[in-house]
Amino acid sequence: MDPEILEFDLGLGGGGSSGRDGDDDANIGLDVDEDMADSPAPSSILASNSNGGGFGTGGGEIYLPEGDLLDLEPYDGMEFESEEAAKAFYNSYARRVGFSTRVSSSRRSRRDGAIIQRQFVCAKEGFRNLNEKRTKDREIKRPRTITRVGCKASLSVKVQDSGKWVVSGFVREHNHELVPPDQVHCLRSHRQISGPAKTLIDTLQAAGMGPRRIMSALIKEYGGISKVGFTEVDCRNYMRNNRQRSLEGDIQLLLDYLRQMQAGNSNFFFAVQGDEDQALTSNVFWADPKSRMNYTYFGDTVTFDTTYRSNRYRLPFAPFTGVNHHGQPVLFGCAFLINESEASFVWLFKTWLMAMSGRPPVSITTDHDAVIRSAIMQVFPETRHRFCKWHIFKKCQEKLSQVFLKHPTFEADFHKCVNLPESIEEFVSCWLSLVDRYELRDHEWLQMMHNDRRHWIPVYLRDTFFAEMSITQRSDSMNSYFDGFVNASTNLNQFFKLYEKALESRNEKEVKADYDTMNTSPALKTPSPMEKQASELYTRKLFTRFQEELVGTLTFTASKSDDDDDVITYQVAKFGEDHKSYYVKFNVLEMKATCSCQMFEFSGLLCRHVLAVFRVTNVLTLPSHYILKRWTKNARSSVILEERSSDVYTNYLESHTVRYNTLRHETFKLVDEGSKSLDTCNVAIDALQQAAKRVALATKNEGRATLVNGRIRGDSARDASRANTTNHKMLCQPLSEDDMDKKIRELTNELDYASRKCEVYRSNLLSVLKDIEDHKLQLSIKVQNIKISMKDGL
């Protein structure tokens, strides 16, 4: 009778590793477990039973025996051609029964050291040693679950003089429940990725799909997760190894490109972690001269984009970006991250900071990641760190997928809870209400995000500048600079051309925005001098945003709620919505206002609440300290002007406003005190009458020199000369008290005249400097347009 043939798949450990818990956004990393099976054995093994039947392996698939052999289990005296054949048979038996196997103890020959006895056990055999040296002296950040329960099930085999291996001991009983057939694929020793599955994964990965979507496709293709034969974690690790192998042959191309760029421009910066000889396994950073210049103007807030982790990009490409004066993304440098350890991120941030002249940003936005967070705390201890809210919302869809399906209103309620609260107290109340309503108080991931709330909930971040026009906006710089250029199918050979094309495209958009700002005038919606001032200072996009706030003040009322000497508090609310008020504190003497909404601190533009207070207090123009240069037309200018406006009329309005508000403030204080009784009222009226007489006298004696359209109107030079001669004669004669007072007033008028004249000269000089800067900018735009036209022609 011909021997029965069994073919066994020996990929006992294929894909048997676990990565980070997460979705496609998570980093694909390898993990080590104490129950990991040995690596796959050779693919051609022959075994036989005591009756002469042969058990062998073929080409990768598992062929189960038919008939009575289907329930075949090990027995004493059963023979195999090799140790590997015995191992494969026991693992096949374990798959049918429902447990995982691993290699345990062995005995070696004293004569030649060869293995002569081997024991294969259930993966739950023994107990974990909690006093291991490798763990007792260090903190375990993510402790693993206990899997070993002291199970005695095992198969022992030993080698015969004939070279064959025979079963010398078999324990059938387990002390734990066995796994049902539809879950066997989750057991470590039975997880493997077959050849056809690898081909399909490679194809889908090249198309930009992540592990989760690929697993969905495989489940549909094979007709169920149990028939796929491996888990999503195995898929992740396979894809990670794929990407690592594909990079090893191409990194040298990147280094050659960077050396070439540095040879052409000494201001081009690049660095490799460690030695360049180790670049195939190290991180690389670079920043071109334009990126470094961008940072000098717009480096107050930075985004570090690690979108590549979601497998959206084939390359481990991470740019540093920011926002320019048109609200467009700008580049501050790029990195290729082969190694993602904490030490590597510390190296990267230190290297980037050195390339940016050692000036750390005010704020930085990254993905939610503990390793990146730790590195930022070390390198940027004073920088405000924010987690990207958009990425957290995306992760929420996976972590709370069942809640999303069960409660269609949850997503809207979650977004409202995050974005709408105006105070920390309001957020806390809203959050507790949300988790109670949907029974999520004990949800581990949601609890972790609540613990990190100061790093991503807007109400906790509004006191820091992030260059965003509203609290609820998603940063345009996140995931957008290279959109449309670098994608999941981009390999390193294609990357350089697409990278340069993206830089050219972004530069062209900025040039176009500069041209529109300098050569067209926006339509004004109010007669306000403040709107006209802003239209001459801000870029077009920023002026449009400011105009929205200014026009919005028309629907708001501002009423004084508290007066603490120099600081007055105003309650600002929309008509008919007094229950939803904002509070603006206004220092009249310093012309400084702060609002409870903190829009200026967050975006660098004044909110409609402060502007409403300016309206009712007769502040006609924007004080200079509320005009950030980074949002103006001259953001890239090297000329620093002390005052944002070079218009004398604007300066006059501002100084007049300060005088007006100061007088009114002091008068109101007198009125408040004087109205307390009849006696104080009479004293106050008398004081006001006396003050009115003195003001009238001062007005009558005041010199006639005034400013009209930038010219001096008053006495002629001849009259001035005559007055100087008279003054000289008077100084040589004794003066009465009245004459001295008169002389002091005259000298004061002359000093005022000279000051106004100097102001005219100064304003003219600033105007000339501004014209020079405008002309320089226009020439730059023309040069850029010519370059772009020449490239298009080529």
Side-chain angles (χ1 to χ4, degrees):
M1 180 177 177
D2 293 335
E4 301 279 353
I5 301 296
L6 283 176
E7 297 203 15
F8 297 103
D9 186 340
L10 300 180
L12 304 184
S17 57
S18 61
R20 292 186 180 185
D21 182 27
D23 65 355
D24 291 358
D25 291 331
N27 178 35
I28 300 174
L30 289 175
D31 207 356
V32 179
D33 188 276
E34 63 175 3
D35 295 332
M36 178 177 288
D38 288 349
S39 58
S43 59
S44 180
I45 305 168
L46 180 64
S48 64
N49 62 15
S50 59
N51 295 322
F55 302 100
T57 65
E61 295 187 22
I62 300 177
Y63 294 92
L64 295 177
E66 298 179 354
D68 295 337
L69 295 179
L70 185 63
D71 298 323
L72 186 66
E73 66 176 27
Y75 53 85
D76 288 345
M78 189 176 191
E79 290 187 351
F80 298 92
E81 287 294 323
S82 66
E83 175 198 345
E84 289 78 10
K87 177 181 175 182
F89 173 79
Y90 188 58
N91 196 59
S92 176
Y93 162 76
R95 183 183 182 92
R96 286 185 282 116
V97 173
F99 66 96
S100 182
T101 66
R102 59 184 173 84
V103 178
S104 180
S105 59
S106 61
R107 284 183 57 194
R108 294 182 178 272
S109 168
R110 295 180 180 177
R111 185 176 65 253
D112 56 8
I115 294 177
I116 59 175
Q117 186 172 340
R118 178 76 80 179
Q119 184 182 35
F120 309 110
V121 298
C122 171
K124 291 181 177 291
E125 179 269 346
F127 297 94
R128 178 179 297 178
N129 184 357
L130 298 178
N131 296 318
E132 295 180 56
K133 290 183 179 180
R134 66 184 180 91
T135 60
K136 80 175 177 179
D137 294 330
R138 64 183 177 89
E139 180 184 357
I140 301 176
K141 295 182 179 180
R142 192 178 60 179
R144 300 187 180 281
T145 56
I146 301 295
T147 58
R148 298 193 182 188
V149 295
C151 181
K152 300 295 185 181
S154 66
L155 176 74
S156 300
V157 292
K158 59 182 180 182
V159 67
Q160 303 292 321
D161 293 339
S162 63
K164 292 184 178 182
W165 289 72
V166 63
V167 174
S168 58
F170 171 59
V171 178
R172 178 188 299 104
E173 293 75 18
H174 297 262
N175 68 348
H176 56 87
E177 291 187 5
L178 299 175
V179 175
D182 61 342
Q183 297 177 15
V184 169
H185 66 283
C186 297
L187 296 173
R188 186 173 299 279
S189 69
H190 308 308
R191 287 155 52 181
Q192 67 146 1
I193 303 178
S194 65
K198 290 179 180 179
T199 302
L200 184 55
I201 292 173
D202 293 344
T203 303
L204 297 178
Q205 183 180 14
M209 291 175 63
R212 191 178 65 222
R213 293 176 62 193
I214 289 177
M215 280 303 295
S216 297
L218 288 167
I219 292 169
K220 186 175 181 180
E221 175 72 17
Y222 284 88
I225 183 65
S226 62
K227 296 181 180 178
V228 172
F230 53 91
T231 66
E232 183 179 329
V233 171
D234 304 321
C235 180
R236 288 178 183 278
N237 289 328
Y238 174 77
M239 292 172 65
R240 176 187 180 277
N241 293 335
N242 257 1
R243 187 165 57 186
Q244 197 88 352
R245 284 192 297 269
S246 67
L247 283 173
E248 290 177 357
D250 293 339
I251 286 295
Q252 191 59 46
L253 294 175
L254 174 64
L255 295 178
D256 292 342
Y257 172 81
L258 297 180
R259 292 190 189 102
Q260 179 184 350
M261 296 300 292
Q262 191 176 62
N265 191 324
S266 59
N267 288 324
F268 188 95
F269 180 98
F270 87 94
V272 178
Q273 186 177 4
D275 299 329
E276 288 195 24
D277 295 338
Q278 302 172 343
L280 295 182
T281 57
S282 299
N283 298 324
V284 182
F285 169 78
W286 75 93
D288 59 41
K290 180 72 181 291
S291 296
R292 302 176 74 183
M293 187 60 67
N294 285 339
Y295 188 78
T296 62
Y297 299 124
F298 310 113
D300 39 20
T301 184
V302 175
T303 294
F304 179 55
D305 183 2
T306 52
T307 308
Y308 74 89
R309 290 177 160 195
S310 66
N311 289 288
R312 184 177 180 182
Y313 301 155
R314 175 185 295 183
L315 305 172
F317 172 60
F320 292 86
T321 61
V323 181
N324 70 7
H325 52 321
H326 299 292
Q328 301 168 333
V330 289
L331 191 64
F332 296 148
C334 300
F336 262 58
L337 297 174
I338 309 299
N339 186 325
E340 296 183 8
S341 65
E342 182 177 314
S344 292
F345 280 115
V346 169
W347 170 87
L348 175 62
F349 293 144
K350 285 183 176 179
T351 304
W352 175 79
L353 189 61
M354 180 172 61
M356 302 299 128
S357 302
R359 180 169 63 91
V362 173
S363 60
I364 187 169
T365 302
T366 72
D367 195 4
H368 181 254
D369 185 274
V371 175
I372 294 177
R373 178 181 181 177
S374 177
I376 285 177
M377 290 174 63
Q378 295 177 54
V379 183
F380 308 117
E382 303 300 322
T383 297
R384 190 69 179 273
H385 183 201
R386 177 179 68 166
F387 300 138
C388 177
K389 186 175 58 178
W390 181 81
H391 279 159
I392 291 174
F393 281 153
K394 186 179 178 184
K395 181 68 68 90
C396 179
Q397 294 175 354
E398 182 228 338
K399 296 294 184 179
L400 299 171
S401 58
Q402 296 300 320
V403 181
F404 276 66
L405 290 173
K406 185 178 179 181
H407 303 286
T409 60
F410 173 77
E411 184 174 12
D413 288 344
F414 184 68
H415 280 254
K416 288 178 183 177
C417 178
V418 170
N419 292 320
L420 297 187
E422 295 289 343
S423 67
I424 291 176
E425 293 76 15
E426 186 179 346
F427 165 75
V428 171
S429 174
C430 185
W431 183 274
L432 292 176
S433 175
L434 181 80
V435 296
D436 285 341
R437 187 184 317 139
Y438 295 100
E439 300 179 351
L440 295 171
R441 270 188 180 265
D442 298 327
H443 193 280
E444 184 177 352
W445 181 83
L446 207 59
Q447 185 60 45
M448 178 183 67
M449 298 315 303
H450 181 261
N451 293 340
D452 287 337
R453 59 192 179 280
R454 298 181 186 278
H455 293 275
W456 68 282
I457 298 295
V459 74
Y460 291 93
L461 298 163
R462 293 187 306 191
D463 61 345
T464 304
F465 183 75
F466 283 96
E468 293 179 15
M469 295 302 100
S470 71
I471 299 293
T472 57
Q473 164 191 338
R474 172 191 168 193
S475 174
D476 287 336
S477 63
M478 199 69 166
N479 303 336
S480 64
Y481 192 91
F482 290 96
D483 276 5
F485 298 95
V486 180
N487 55 44
S489 62
T490 303
N491 58 42
L492 204 54
N493 286 316
Q494 301 166 327
F495 173 77
F496 307 122
K497 291 182 179 179
L498 294 174
Y499 167 82
E500 292 179 351
K501 192 174 180 181
L503 297 185
E504 290 179 7
S505 174
R506 291 297 178 186
N507 185 56
E508 183 179 350
K509 288 181 179 179
E510 182 174 335
V511 169
K512 177 66 167 58
D514 282 338
Y515 178 84
D516 291 342
T517 295
M518 301 301 296
N519 293 280
T520 59
S521 298
L524 303 182
K525 298 182 179 180
T526 72
S528 167
M530 187 180 291
E531 185 182 16
K532 185 176 187 300
Q533 174 198 19
S535 70
E536 295 172 351
L537 293 173
Y538 287 133
T539 59
R540 186 56 34 79
K541 180 172 181 178
L542 269 294
F543 170 72
T544 300
R545 184 67 186 87
F546 174 81
Q547 191 179 52
E548 291 175 5
E549 293 300 312
L550 185 65
V551 173
T553 63
L554 300 177
T555 61
F556 278 78
T557 60
S559 56
K560 186 167 66 171
S561 63
D562 187 35
D563 189 346
D564 183 16
D565 291 332
D566 295 336
V567 178
I568 304 175
T569 302
Y570 289 86
Q571 182 178 352
V572 183
K574 205 169 186 179
F575 284 111
E577 297 182 7
D578 293 341
H579 62 283
K580 188 176 181 181
S581 298
Y582 299 86
Y583 291 90
V584 176
K585 293 185 177 181
F586 182 37
N587 188 313
V588 178
L589 301 180
E590 297 181 3
M591 293 289 287
K592 292 184 178 180
T594 57
C595 180
S596 57
C597 79
Q598 298 181 300
M599 177 175 163
F600 180 77
E601 291 81 357
F602 189 77
S603 68
L605 279 179
L606 281 176
C607 62
R608 59 191 63 192
H609 317 120
V610 170
L611 295 176
V613 171
F614 282 177
R615 188 187 74 240
V616 301
T617 54
N618 202 38
V619 178
L620 302 178
T621 60
L622 283 172
S624 58
H625 45 267
Y626 286 120
I627 304 172
L628 299 188
K629 184 179 179 182
R630 62 118 52 237
W631 290 136
T632 66
K633 299 175 182 179
N634 297 318
R636 289 188 179 273
S637 168
S638 57
V639 176
I640 301 177
L641 307 181
E642 283 186 12
E643 297 185 22
R644 304 293 178 175
S645 173
S646 60
D647 185 12
V648 177
Y649 178 61
T650 301
N651 292 335
Y652 166 72
L653 286 176
E654 186 173 324
S655 60
H656 176 270
T657 301
V658 173
R659 294 197 299 270
Y660 178 89
N661 282 311
T662 303
L663 283 172
R664 191 168 76 161
H665 181 59
E666 293 299 323
T667 304
F668 281 164
K669 287 169 64 178
L670 179 63
V671 170
D672 288 340
E673 292 296 323
S675 62
K676 291 181 178 179
S677 69
L678 183 60
D679 290 339
T680 56
C681 180
N682 291 332
V683 171
I685 290 175
D686 183 59
L688 287 173
Q689 290 174 345
Q690 292 295 325
K693 290 178 182 179
R694 296 182 65 181
V695 169
L697 180 63
T699 303
K700 183 178 179 180
N701 294 328
E702 188 177 11
R704 300 298 180 182
T706 56
L707 277 173
V708 178
N709 294 330
R711 299 190 177 193
I712 301 295
R713 186 180 70 184
D715 297 335
S716 64
R718 181 179 59 188
D719 294 336
S721 177
R722 188 183 301 118
N724 288 337
T725 304
T726 303
N727 291 340
H728 178 70
K729 290 178 180 179
M730 290 177 67
L731 288 172
C732 299
Q733 300 174 358
L735 298 175
S736 65
E737 186 174 346
D738 290 340
D739 290 336
M740 289 180 66
D741 289 341
K742 183 178 180 181
K743 182 59 184 175
I744 290 172
R745 286 195 297 271
E746 290 175 354
L747 291 174
T748 302
N749 291 337
E750 288 182 21
L751 180 61
D752 185 56
Y753 170 85
S755 298
R756 292 173 184 272
K757 193 171 181 180
C758 288
E759 186 63 32
V760 172
Y761 291 149
R762 179 175 177 277
S763 65
N764 289 338
L765 176 60
L766 293 176
S767 179
V768 171
L769 288 173
K770 183 175 181 298
D771 290 341
I772 291 173
E773 284 298 315
D774 290 346
H775 185 63
K776 190 168 97 174
L777 182 59
Q778 290 175 357
L779 288 176
S780 174
I781 292 171
K782 289 180 181 179
V783 170
Q784 292 293 341
N785 286 334
I786 292 171
K787 287 182 178 179
I788 292 170
S789 299
M790 292 176 65
K791 288 183 178 180
D792 291 341
L794 294 175

